[in-house]
Amino acid sequence: MKERLRNLRKRYGHIRLALGYLCIYLPWFYWLEERTTGNYTVVHTSLDDYIPYEECFIIPYLLWFVYVAGTVFYFFVRSRQDYDRVCTLLFTGMTVSLLICTFCPNGTDLRSQIVAGDSICGRLVQLVHAVDTPTNVFPSIHVYNAVSVHLAIANSQSLRPKKWIRAGSFVLMVAICLSTMFLKQHSALDVVGALILVCMIYPFVYHSEYAHEEKEERPKAVG
């Protein structure tokens, strides 16, 4: 039994990276949600007023949870290198986002423009609004994580032959990014901010000299 546990720790001990970060991120995020209640910068652009509210976009918006968690879990099981990189990309951007919200409290006033319907999608929107405040929106972590996960899939050696997965990932990523605006969860500025943040961090994780050295030293797959 001890030998079996030792082997499991050796094979899957890298789960500590994700679990350890969640122990930091979740308390920090919920503290910000509790703290940011009134005095914050409203993020709103003129473009937001031309984007219609479409409650059907709640479907890709909620698929984000499966998309991000599922991808991280797949790499956790299949490829230590991909797992380490996607976690680094995700956690770095999420930390930067929380730092921005900590020192520059922000929120959006877009929800006041909509009335969720009584359909299934409308009720799901109401549920999201009930548990997610319209604060701490810039840059959008929803968008940042969706784009980061797609980039991880696009760069994965194990998934490179599976073009349908990469194509499906791209479509879902775009739908998730659009959903944040069509549901009035985020301003277009939040989306742009997230894209800029990804563009700044991504090269250091996947294309820096350190990343290439890491790729040569580590085995391609685990399991």
Side-chain angles (χ1 to χ4, degrees):
M1 177 63 73
K2 289 184 179 180
E3 185 65 25
R4 184 183 233 177
L5 290 174
R6 190 178 297 113
N7 290 335
L8 285 173
R9 282 197 299 267
K10 184 177 180 181
R11 188 172 186 180
Y12 298 118
H14 49 294
I15 195 174
R16 288 173 292 187
L17 175 61
L19 294 180
Y21 183 73
L22 287 178
C23 290
I24 298 171
Y25 173 82
L26 290 176
W28 190 356
F29 176 80
Y30 286 115
W31 173 74
L32 284 173
E33 290 286 280
E34 293 275 332
R35 185 202 68 167
T36 313
T37 56
N39 188 23
Y40 55 80
T41 300
V42 175
V43 183
H44 191 141
T45 68
S46 57
L47 177 59
D48 298 322
D49 298 326
Y50 292 96
I51 300 174
Y53 164 67
E54 297 291 345
E55 60 188 26
C56 62
F57 273 93
I58 191 63
I59 296 173
Y61 187 86
L62 292 177
L63 282 176
W64 174 86
F65 295 94
V66 178
Y67 182 49
V68 174
T71 301
V72 172
F73 180 76
Y74 173 82
F75 288 144
F76 167 73
V77 174
R78 297 294 300 171
S79 171
R80 174 69 184 273
Q81 178 180 290
D82 288 328
Y83 171 79
D84 286 348
R85 288 187 177 180
V86 72
C87 284
T88 301
L89 184 59
L90 288 171
F91 300 162
T92 302
M94 291 162 71
T95 301
V96 171
S97 297
L98 291 184
L99 284 170
I100 291 174
C101 293
T102 298
F103 294 103
C104 301
N106 57 79
T108 179
D109 59 355
L110 299 173
R111 290 188 189 178
S112 60
Q113 303 175 13
I114 67 173
V115 176
D118 198 37
S119 63
I120 294 178
C121 288
R123 290 178 181 178
L124 288 173
V125 171
Q126 293 176 39
L127 178 62
V128 168
H129 286 180
V131 299
D132 183 23
T133 69
T135 57
N136 308 306
V137 295
F138 179 89
S140 169
I141 293 178
H142 223 77
V143 171
Y144 179 89
N145 284 3
V147 176
S148 296
V149 162
H150 174 69
L151 290 173
I153 290 172
N155 280 276
S156 172
Q157 292 290 335
S158 63
L159 293 178
R160 184 157 293 177
K162 301 177 181 180
K163 295 182 179 179
W164 65 273
I165 291 181
R166 294 165 64 190
S169 172
F170 178 78
V171 172
L172 180 56
M173 180 265 292
V174 172
I176 290 172
C177 293
L178 292 175
S179 73
T180 63
M181 294 181 287
F182 280 105
L183 291 176
K184 301 299 180 179
Q185 287 290 99
H186 285 279
S187 163
L189 190 60
D190 301 331
V191 175
V192 172
L195 295 177
I196 292 174
L197 186 59
V198 173
C199 290
M200 291 174 64
I201 299 174
Y202 167 73
F204 291 99
V205 178
Y206 283 90
H207 297 297
S208 67
E209 183 178 345
Y210 169 76
H212 287 300
E213 290 176 357
E214 186 184 48
K215 182 176 180 180
E216 291 175 358
E217 292 174 1
R218 284 187 175 169
K220 290 185 177 180
V222 176

